[in-house]
Amino acid sequence: MDKRDSIKSKFELALSIFTVFFKIGAFTWGGGYAMLPLIKNEVVERRKWITSEDFIDGIAVSQSLPGPIAVNTATFVGHKLCGKFGAIVAVTGAILPPTISILVIAMFFSRFRELTVVQNFFKGANPAIIALIVSAVIDIGKSALKRYREFVITLILLFLLIYLRIHPILAIVISAILGIVFGEKR
Amino acid sequence: MILLKLFLAFAQIGLFAFGGGYAILPLIEKEMVNNLHWLTHKEFLEVVTISQLTPGPIAINAATFVGYKVGGVIGSLIATVSVCLPPVILVLIVVRFLKRFETNIWVNNVLKGLRPAVVALIASAAYSLVRGGGITEIKGLIIGIASFIILRTRKLDPILILIIAGIVGILIYQ
């Protein structure tokens, strides 16, 4: 393959990485974990870009590092396919649909939010969003808190967050340190 | 100057956004509502609801929304890029030694240690949304409890529940 061909095929690959992640970004409502089956379907089953094992490894890392899981997974898959350039293309594709839709909403929202009908919509939807979050606490709590000790730490952190109004970063740092203190010693 | 502040605030949120999704909410609230006063409690609540009704991760949605409010289109782009930058850089660093990262005992202990924090953060998000005006009277409480029961007993799409609750709001609050 001469140089022009290789540039051309690289461009084509970048374009399809962008398209795939744009699609994923546009069609996953609610974000986060809802995205994973969709990403897997596209990059593992349909395109066969990476193997199932590599994908699982990538997810494990994406979940353990900070940041939205969609962004982390896009970085991982993009990098696997086309290096740093691929990572940037994939992330751009994934965040463009939410960015555009929120930008459009933000531009017009200030005009609409004073309408009674919009305010009443939010008055009805806000309690439902709280119900959604409470439900998430139950689901994530069930799967994440396996031991009595973890449950107690959760309650203490919750107390610190709500009543002493500690910074969320401090809660994260405290529990990371406790993880090291109580963790396995190789 | 405001753009630099925007960049730093969202880069910090991106850097500590462990656990994804709702666990990020207290972080956004602390910075945007309590510290920088870029959003009111009511607006924060609206951003959360809008995020759920539009595609994409909540951190990205919040960044775009707040960025636009503070610094227009440029502000929204800066906020969105800066919330992504730390995670992207971290993933690119970690993929170099993926296997060693996964089996590292320190990494594992820290990750297990973070689980209670993630649960506590999400629970505190729910608490502060209630306190911040999410449920103020009896009708709202009933909508909340009804949504919760439907959510736990039927396999209904959460987005559908939100939309129905919104429509119920339009009907009963007029």
Side-chain angles (χ1 to χ4, degrees):
Chain A
M1 213 188 324
D2 69 36
K3 209 177 166 196
R4 256 174 77 190
D5 274 352
S6 106
I7 288 172
K8 195 177 161 224
S9 68
K10 196 170 176 182
F11 178 76
E12 276 170 3
L13 179 61
L15 195 66
S16 53
I17 294 173
F18 180 84
T19 319
V20 164
F21 278 96
F22 188 87
K23 210 162 92 184
I24 291 165
F27 288 104
T28 38
W29 259 257
Y33 299 96
M35 241 167 205
L36 292 180
L38 213 78
I39 299 178
K40 184 162 187 262
N41 182 39
E42 280 286 341
V43 305
V44 179
E45 273 124 48
R46 269 192 61 197
R47 312 252 170 181
K48 299 198 186 342
W49 276 342
I50 61 175
T51 65
S52 193
E53 291 78 47
D54 280 350
F55 185 74
I56 291 165
D57 283 348
I59 298 301
V61 170
S62 301
Q63 286 178 332
S64 47
L65 294 173
I69 188 121
V71 171
N72 295 2
T73 313
T75 310
F76 174 78
V77 175
H79 178 263
K80 190 105 191 159
L81 292 172
C82 213
K84 285 194 190 79
F85 176 66
I88 291 166
V89 169
V91 172
T92 309
I95 68 172
L96 220 45
T99 305
I100 293 169
S101 53
I102 293 291
L103 200 51
V104 171
I105 290 172
M107 281 169 163
F108 296 102
F109 192 62
S110 58
R111 248 182 276 171
F112 288 121
R113 64 177 301 196
E114 299 310 325
L115 295 175
T116 317
V117 67
V118 174
Q119 296 206 344
N120 289 343
F121 177 87
F122 279 103
K123 259 173 121 174
N126 288 339
I129 195 99
I130 292 166
L132 242 65
I133 298 175
V134 171
S135 174
V137 174
I138 296 171
D139 287 338
I140 297 170
K142 265 188 201 162
S143 68
L145 308 178
K146 301 271 185 232
R147 296 156 203 246
Y148 184 64
R149 185 185 67 224
E150 290 174 331
F151 190 71
V152 173
I153 294 173
T154 303
L155 290 181
I156 293 170
L157 289 173
L158 190 57
F159 174 82
L160 293 176
L161 282 163
I162 289 177
Y163 290 103
L164 299 184
R165 299 171 143 273
I166 62 164
H167 200 289
I169 292 176
L170 187 58
I172 291 169
V173 172
I174 291 172
S175 58
I177 293 171
L178 290 177
I180 293 170
V181 171
F182 290 118
E184 302 157 41
K185 308 283 185 289
R186 77 187 61 239
Chain B
M1 198 51 211
I2 192 92
L3 294 179
L4 182 68
K5 251 185 169 171
L6 205 55
F7 174 82
L8 291 175
F10 277 101
Q12 183 191 319
I13 289 171
L15 188 60
F16 286 93
F18 285 96
Y22 297 133
I24 301 172
L25 292 179
L27 216 59
I28 297 174
E29 192 192 15
K30 190 74 167 183
E31 289 301 318
M32 300 299 128
V33 181
N34 301 341
N35 290 352
L36 294 161
H37 305 291
W38 283 341
L39 286 180
T40 64
H41 277 287
K42 195 172 166 232
E43 286 170 320
F44 177 66
L45 205 57
E46 286 164 355
V47 172
V48 177
T49 305
I50 291 171
S51 297
Q52 208 64 36
L53 291 171
T54 53
I58 203 156
I60 306 280
N61 293 347
T64 308
F65 192 94
V66 175
Y68 180 78
K69 201 185 164 219
V70 174
V73 175
I74 302 284
S76 78
L77 293 180
I78 287 178
T80 308
V81 169
S82 53
V83 81
C84 293
L85 215 51
V88 168
I89 292 171
L90 283 174
V91 172
L92 288 178
I93 293 171
V94 169
V95 287
R96 285 165 188 270
F97 45 94
L98 191 61
K99 287 286 171 213
R100 263 200 286 162
F101 179 82
E102 273 184 88
T103 53
N104 186 289
I105 191 127
W106 287 86
V107 172
N108 271 312
N109 286 340
V110 167
L111 291 180
K112 275 193 192 140
L114 286 180
R115 286 176 188 167
V118 169
V119 180
L121 284 170
I122 302 174
S124 82
Y127 175 83
S128 72
L129 287 178
V130 174
R131 287 292 306 271
I135 297 174
T136 48
E137 32 66 71
I138 193 81
K139 284 178 191 168
L141 186 63
I142 292 169
I143 293 177
I145 291 171
S147 312
F148 182 78
I149 292 170
I150 294 169
L151 209 57
R152 301 304 296 182
T153 53
R154 316 243 175 249
K155 281 272 158 256
L156 216 58
D157 194 325
I159 295 158
L160 197 59
I161 294 177
L162 268 190
I163 293 172
I164 294 170
I167 293 170
V168 169
I170 292 173
L171 294 175
I172 64 171
Y173 286 116
Q174 49 185 265

